Amino acid sequence: MSISLNNLSKRYGSTHAVENVSAEITHGSLTAILGPSGSGKSTLLKLISGLEAPDEGRVIIDGDDVTDVDPRHRDIGFCFQSYAPFRHMNVAKNVGFGLKVRKRPAAEIDARVKELLALVKLDDKASRYPSQLSGGERQRMALARALAIEPRVLLLDEPFGALDAVVRQELRQWVKVLHEQIHVTTVLVTHDQQEAMEVADQLIVMSAGRVVQSGNPLALYESPATDFVHEFLGPSTVFGGVVTRPHDLELVSVYDGAMKGRITSIVSLGFEAQVTVELSDGTTTWVQLSRNELSKMGLRVALLVGVRRRTDADF
Amino acid sequence: MGKGRWALRGVVMAYLGILIGLPVVFMIYKALAHGFGPFWSQITQPGAISALKLSVEIAAIAVPVNTLVGVGAAILIARHKFFGKRAFDTVFDIPVAVSPVILGVALILAYSRIGWFGAPLLRHGIMVLFSPLGLVLATMAVSLPYVLRSIVPVLLEVGTEQEDAARTLGAGRFRTFFNVTLPSIRWAVAYGVALTIARTLGEFGAVLVVSGNISGRTQTLPIYIYDDWDQRFDTLGSYSGALVLALISMAVLLVLAMLRKRERRLRVDLA
Amino acid sequence: MSTALATPPPASRSRWRRLRSRLGLGLLAGGGGALIVGYLSLIVLIPIAALVSHGLSISVVTHGAGLAFWRWHVSIGVRTFWEAITAPGAKEAIFLSLWLSLSVAAINAVMGVAIAWVLVRDKFFGKGLLEASIDLPFALPTIVAGVVLLAIYGVDSPIHVDLFETWMGLMMALLFVTLPFSVRAVQPVLASLDLESEAAARTLGAGSVRTFFTVVLPSIWPAVLGGFGLAFARAVGEFGSISLIAGGLGRTTTASYYVYNLTQGFLWTDAAAVSTLLLVLSLVILVTTNVIAHRYQRRTL
């Protein structure tokens, strides 16, 4: 089901949380709303879900104008940042809640819950309580609960924010696979560009309540519309007055470079190295090198080098 | 360091011993000094029984009313924005911040024969002073805030996400309240109710002022104990009645301790 | 019936739903709120208003006919109020209540910190009993508190300490009933204190006494003050636990006991005047300590 957001605005007091946002989310896509904290991305998700009402603009899901529809009638699945498990219900009751509200027969609920718990690999934890689950398991239970009502749209608010690095990586892959299996239109909110690039097939980048750029992740990375998107979507540095990716720069002998400079620090991060150079025009930039390049060139602090844009920048 | 710790421990134990421990032990001893028989006959006297009955009847009205009001007001305070919220919140603390005697006087000046609404009330045959109705009003006032004060922090801590989740899953307002909100505050409600019961059964000052102290009609258990001592010079009766009330409050304390443990466990779950 | 009427277009139907839902919530919350406000008025606001207006002999007099406001005249009987609170017996009772309450709140502020410290930092057999005994005065009906204290410190004291009709006895009773407020105000704050800053003070060479006064006390000070305010307000208003110990002597008649005596003589105006003074006093104390504690907290955060 597609979602259209038309000129949405939401103010809290005098602050504009969301300002004149329009976006199209295509049917079956996995879209990430990406932005730093306070950019209005969570508010936008709440506007789609109906948990907040916009001051202006319309929300259209699958051709229906749902702007004035209560969240309980929108048929959306919402996963909260804290997962919001019903603490006093076990896993099966949590997952079956939406169906029970819809007064489905008990046998149907049981069957559907079983099916969903198998899908999220919690079949052996059906009678556990949320407090007895790990963070990742709670997250999967919240997903199953949201999916149980066969939502038209699945909304995930910072779905991996509260998990540790390993579980996070696992769940990202799993969500991607799950999305390919069930193909429900999914919107997730994140502040982590790596996560967004890895999981989503569409990106909406937000800053200060506005959409800065949207589209395919690779396209955004390659041709960011503004310096903000450039800096936000990956490592960046300034060279010759232009924002650029540090892996698009290279170090050469002091005579070959477009600009001369002195190395002020070298930080080795395993596979890659970050070399900071103070340039002759007084500015500082940094260059991303592979470990091989670093050792081959015999770089050290205080060495004079030349810096230039890579000619083979297209990988 | 070690010496200091022992000294502090000693001072604290001595203070609590002199102030609380020894008096309670001696009170129990005096109530039972002549054996269980006299104690039993004291607390089964018709006057004592009718006082106990009246106390329980008053509690049976005041506790449910204050529980409903407390839950409703807590939800308003924790979940709604409205004009005058601070004032609304503060009013609940007035009855416990002022002397119960003052509260009693205030009730009389509002509703008794000499009060603001005395004449119209009397015309309809409603007597507030010297009647059980006055006792109920006074008791409701002094036990007003306990349910509210137990629930609000829990409601704020639990947050609205579970309720929002229920809404996105299609639950209506009543289902959300009964299936999601109420279960998450049930131990806090129980805690508040226990405090309210303790306060209702034990209230003395406000009730004494409005009661006129008519035996069998407006005599609650605390007033009966007071009379035994002050009017009838029957200390055994006082000790016996006091022991009964003390046992009830100790039972309430036990319940509270258990509820606090549950609360704490739930808090840990949240983290 | 046309089907068009039965199923209006989605947009307008949904708008109606939303409107109905908002209206429903408004009515529910508003209706519940109105009921609660009515209840509060019945048992708290109207009586307090009646008390104050009676105590200050506030009366509204109209001159001539009509409802125009300039014909109205509000009179406050300051003189009757003043006479009531300075009557022989009244002054003494108020002063007795004041100095007793201040000393009791101060003693329990100190002991409250000591007890809270032992409960939070110390570990020994029987600590659970100690912990439970703190709440006992709060759960115990106040009249029972009086009986309990007279069982050992009364006329037929088994240890020959007779505090009946003495200020020591009154103080004992007030210390008893206010103890939970003093301890419970400090205990959670003490428990949440960062042990590392104390350890830091120790590594810098501060002894345990100096550590307490320079590191611990400044952070629990607002809580101690809050407990002091609560204990003081409670002590000024306390009646049940001292009603037996005070006996019938003038020199052991506290303010609230004095008010009770006035009601027994049906002297309602005098009772209302002294009550009004006590009411204002308790509220001022509570608000002041709250404000000071709040300000202090903001500065240290």
Side-chain angles (χ1 to χ4, degrees):
Chain A
M1 312 286 159
S2 63
I3 307 173
S4 300
L5 309 177
N6 296 340
N7 307 96
L8 286 176
S9 289
K10 177 73 182 173
R11 283 176 291 274
Y12 295 109
S14 58
T15 49
H16 288 257
V18 165
E19 213 178 340
N20 201 20
V21 164
S22 294
E24 293 293 326
I25 293 160
T26 50
H27 172 73
S29 69
L30 204 174
T31 303
I33 304 177
L34 178 64
S37 62
S39 60
K41 52 193 192 310
S42 282
T43 308
L44 189 61
L45 202 69
K46 290 229 158 103
L47 292 178
I48 300 174
S49 72
L51 289 170
E52 296 279 359
D55 296 322
E56 279 152 47
R58 316 300 298 171
V59 178
I60 291 151
I61 298 180
D62 202 25
D64 290 344
D65 184 341
V66 297
T67 317
D68 298 310
V69 177
D70 196 86
R72 51 188 286 229
H73 300 302
R74 279 195 194 192
D75 284 331
I76 42 149
F78 198 106
C79 280
F80 291 82
Q81 201 169 349
S82 70
Y83 321 134
F86 300 136
R87 287 186 291 148
H88 54 280
M89 296 181 200
N90 64 24
V91 171
K93 287 257 164 60
N94 259 284
V95 175
F97 184 82
L99 297 172
K100 206 176 156 206
V101 168
R102 283 169 172 71
K103 300 204 168 63
R104 299 281 170 77
E108 188 195 321
I109 297 179
D110 282 351
R112 179 91 181 113
V113 166
K114 231 180 214 155
E115 185 189 325
L116 278 161
L117 288 183
L119 184 71
V120 300
K121 302 190 186 77
L122 283 175
D123 7 18
D124 53 334
K125 305 249 158 85
S127 53
R128 296 280 182 90
Y129 281 83
S131 57
Q132 299 164 310
L133 300 180
S134 70
E137 288 168 337
R138 273 184 225 183
Q139 164 70 292
R140 298 204 310 262
M141 182 194 83
L143 262 171
R145 187 175 71 180
L147 288 171
I149 59 169
E150 290 172 22
R152 296 197 285 183
V153 177
L154 185 62
L155 306 174
L156 312 171
D157 190 1
E158 295 275 3
F160 315 114
L163 302 170
D164 60 61
V166 180
V167 182
R168 199 171 175 151
Q169 187 61 36
E170 246 173 55
L171 263 176
R172 270 187 212 165
Q173 290 307 322
W174 180 78
V175 163
K176 207 169 159 76
V177 171
L178 186 76
H179 180 254
E180 274 154 23
Q181 272 174 24
I182 55 176
H183 242 278
V184 57
T185 309
T186 305
V187 181
L188 75 87
V189 153
T190 177
H191 63 271
D192 182 338
Q193 49 85 20
Q194 206 186 333
E195 184 173 297
M197 305 281 284
E198 192 179 319
V199 177
D201 49 37
Q202 290 291 315
L203 286 189
I204 297 176
V205 182
M206 287 188 73
S207 165
R210 292 171 178 278
V211 171
V212 191
Q213 196 179 4
S214 56
N216 171 296
L218 202 61
L220 260 63
Y221 187 83
E222 292 292 307
S223 46
T226 66
D227 287 355
F228 172 80
V229 178
H230 203 301
E231 280 164 22
F232 199 69
L233 282 188
S236 65
T237 185
V238 179
F239 180 67
V242 180
V243 179
T244 184
R245 301 252 177 258
H247 52 71
D248 287 346
L249 298 177
E250 65 179 340
L251 295 180
V252 287
S253 88
V254 70
Y255 308 107
D256 294 345
M259 218 183 262
K260 285 192 248 288
R262 187 185 294 277
I263 295 178
T264 54
S265 81
I266 299 175
V267 179
S268 244
L269 300 166
F271 164 73
E272 59 154 79
Q274 298 179 352
V275 180
T276 310
V277 182
E278 199 183 304
L279 297 170
S280 52
D281 65 354
T283 62
T284 303
T285 191
W286 65 277
V287 181
Q288 195 172 28
L289 300 175
S290 73
R291 203 175 50 187
N292 271 347
E293 287 174 302
L294 186 72
S295 58
K296 228 188 305 180
M297 296 178 67
L299 298 175
R300 57 185 164 75
V301 171
L303 196 69
L304 282 174
V305 288
V307 184
R308 70 175 183 204
R309 221 167 279 280
R310 272 182 209 269
T311 43
D312 52 15
D314 45 342
F315 307 118
Chain B
M1 181 65 216
K3 221 186 260 172
R5 170 165 296 196
W6 276 101
L8 190 64
R9 212 183 270 180
V11 169
V12 164
M13 299 274 238
Y15 188 71
L16 292 177
I18 292 171
L19 201 59
I20 300 174
L22 284 178
V24 169
V25 168
F26 270 99
M27 192 271 288
I28 297 172
Y29 166 75
K30 287 204 165 171
L32 298 171
H34 305 281
F36 189 75
F39 164 75
W40 188 250
S41 69
Q42 280 292 343
I43 61 166
T44 49
Q45 273 180 26
I49 292 287
S50 76
L52 179 66
K53 244 172 80 184
L54 183 61
S55 284
V56 171
E57 279 165 8
I58 292 171
I61 301 171
V63 174
V65 170
N66 276 342
T67 304
L68 284 179
V69 168
V71 172
I75 287 173
L76 282 178
I77 287 173
R79 294 284 188 265
H80 292 265
K81 280 183 201 156
F82 56 93
F83 175 76
K85 190 153 137 181
R86 273 292 281 274
F88 181 75
D89 189 285
T90 311
V91 170
F92 280 86
D93 285 334
I94 293 178
V96 288
V98 307
S99 173
V101 177
I102 295 178
L103 215 56
V105 173
L107 282 168
I108 284 175
L109 292 175
Y111 303 118
S112 80
R113 195 171 46 78
I114 58 150
W116 277 1
F117 302 104
L121 284 174
L122 260 185
R123 230 176 291 132
H124 291 92
I126 301 170
M127 226 172 79
V128 177
L129 187 58
F130 305 153
S131 83
L133 181 62
L135 305 189
V136 172
L137 281 181
T139 308
M140 288 200 291
V142 294
S143 59
L144 177 65
Y146 297 103
V147 172
L148 173 84
R149 291 284 167 252
S150 319
I151 300 176
V152 169
V154 180
L155 272 179
L156 291 177
E157 191 177 332
V158 169
T160 56
E161 283 207 335
Q162 290 186 57
E163 289 160 21
D164 283 347
R167 260 171 91 202
T168 63
L169 292 169
R173 202 162 295 124
F174 287 98
R175 183 181 281 275
T176 305
F177 177 75
F178 285 107
N179 285 7
V180 176
T181 313
L182 199 55
S184 60
I185 57 170
R186 59 188 163 185
W187 299 119
V189 174
Y191 194 88
V193 168
L195 280 176
T196 311
I197 292 175
R199 199 58 220 269
T200 341
L201 289 181
E203 178 46 31
F204 174 67
V207 166
L208 182 65
V209 173
V210 297
S211 73
N213 198 358
I214 304 163
S215 167
R217 215 171 105 71
T218 60
Q219 204 167 53
T220 63
L221 201 47
I223 298 180
Y224 181 79
I225 294 169
Y226 174 72
D227 268 14
D228 261 350
W229 191 288
D230 212 55
Q231 313 289 320
R232 293 191 283 274
F233 306 104
D234 176 4
T235 51
L236 182 61
S238 288
Y239 289 132
S240 307
L243 182 56
V244 171
L245 274 182
L247 287 176
I248 294 175
S249 14
M250 284 177 197
V252 170
L253 271 187
L254 208 68
V255 171
L256 291 183
M258 273 156 45
L259 289 173
R260 259 208 302 269
K261 229 173 238 169
R262 292 231 177 218
E263 268 294 312
R264 219 171 287 156
R265 222 186 59 208
L266 286 179
R267 297 255 162 99
V268 172
D269 285 356
L270 255 182
Chain C
M1 280 291 150
S2 73
T3 47
L5 256 181
T7 50
S12 69
R13 184 187 57 197
S14 56
R15 199 162 302 165
W16 162 239
R17 262 197 203 146
R18 178 147 201 137
L19 195 70
R20 197 181 55 183
S21 143
R22 268 193 196 160
L23 204 69
L25 182 64
L27 281 180
L28 197 72
L35 272 179
I36 293 171
V37 169
Y39 178 70
L40 291 179
S41 308
L42 179 75
I43 65 168
V44 183
L45 295 176
I46 293 175
I48 296 288
L51 175 84
V52 174
S53 93
H54 213 95
L56 296 175
S57 311
I58 296 173
S59 56
V60 180
V61 188
T62 52
H63 306 280
L67 290 170
F69 68 90
W70 63 83
R71 294 187 203 281
W72 291 50
H73 177 71
V74 179
S75 89
I76 299 179
V78 180
R79 229 186 57 197
T80 40
F81 175 74
W82 186 251
E83 275 167 8
I85 62 168
T86 52
K91 243 185 346 197
E92 287 78 3
I94 292 166
F95 279 125
L96 178 66
S97 271
L98 281 181
W99 80 257
L100 269 181
S101 304
L102 274 175
S103 357
V104 161
I107 294 173
N108 267 348
V110 175
M111 289 313 297
V113 172
I115 293 169
W117 182 276
V118 168
L119 287 177
V120 172
R121 297 291 174 83
D122 212 348
K123 255 198 192 115
F124 52 90
F125 178 75
K127 202 179 103 175
L129 194 69
L130 209 68
E131 173 92 48
S133 74
I134 302 298
D135 281 330
L136 193 63
F138 184 72
L140 221 52
T142 50
I143 187 72
V144 177
V147 173
V148 161
L149 287 171
L150 282 176
I152 182 165
Y153 306 118
V155 178
D156 53 352
S157 166
I159 53 168
H160 306 292
V161 181
D162 180 7
L163 301 178
F164 180 67
E165 290 187 322
T166 63
W167 63 264
M168 292 269 285
L170 299 180
M171 189 173 259
M172 204 76 174
L174 294 179
L175 287 172
F176 184 91
V177 296
T178 58
L179 185 67
F181 298 94
S182 309
V183 177
R184 296 297 183 215
V186 181
Q187 196 181 356
V189 183
L190 201 57
S192 69
L193 271 195
D194 177 17
L195 284 173
E196 281 184 359
S197 51
E198 277 169 60
R202 292 246 169 71
T203 60
L204 294 170
S208 45
V209 173
R210 168 175 281 223
T211 306
F212 178 80
F213 280 103
T214 54
V215 180
V216 179
L217 198 57
S219 21
I220 62 170
W221 177 240
V224 175
L225 197 66
F228 180 91
L230 281 176
F232 181 83
R234 177 68 204 262
V236 167
E238 180 54 25
F239 175 67
S241 61
I242 54 180
S243 59
L244 291 178
I245 297 174
L249 288 186
R251 65 180 160 87
T252 47
T253 299
T254 63
S256 54
Y257 199 79
Y258 178 76
V259 173
Y260 173 68
N261 284 340
L262 290 176
T263 68
Q264 293 309 94
F266 302 105
L267 299 167
W268 297 113
T269 310
D270 294 344
V274 180
S275 293
T276 304
L277 179 72
L278 291 179
L279 174 80
V280 172
L281 197 70
S282 323
L283 294 184
V284 165
I285 291 292
L286 274 181
V287 169
T288 319
T289 47
N290 268 350
V291 167
I292 295 177
H294 222 82
R295 230 177 247 171
Y296 195 89
Q297 219 156 17
R298 222 177 319 156
R299 207 171 57 209
T300 50
L301 275 177

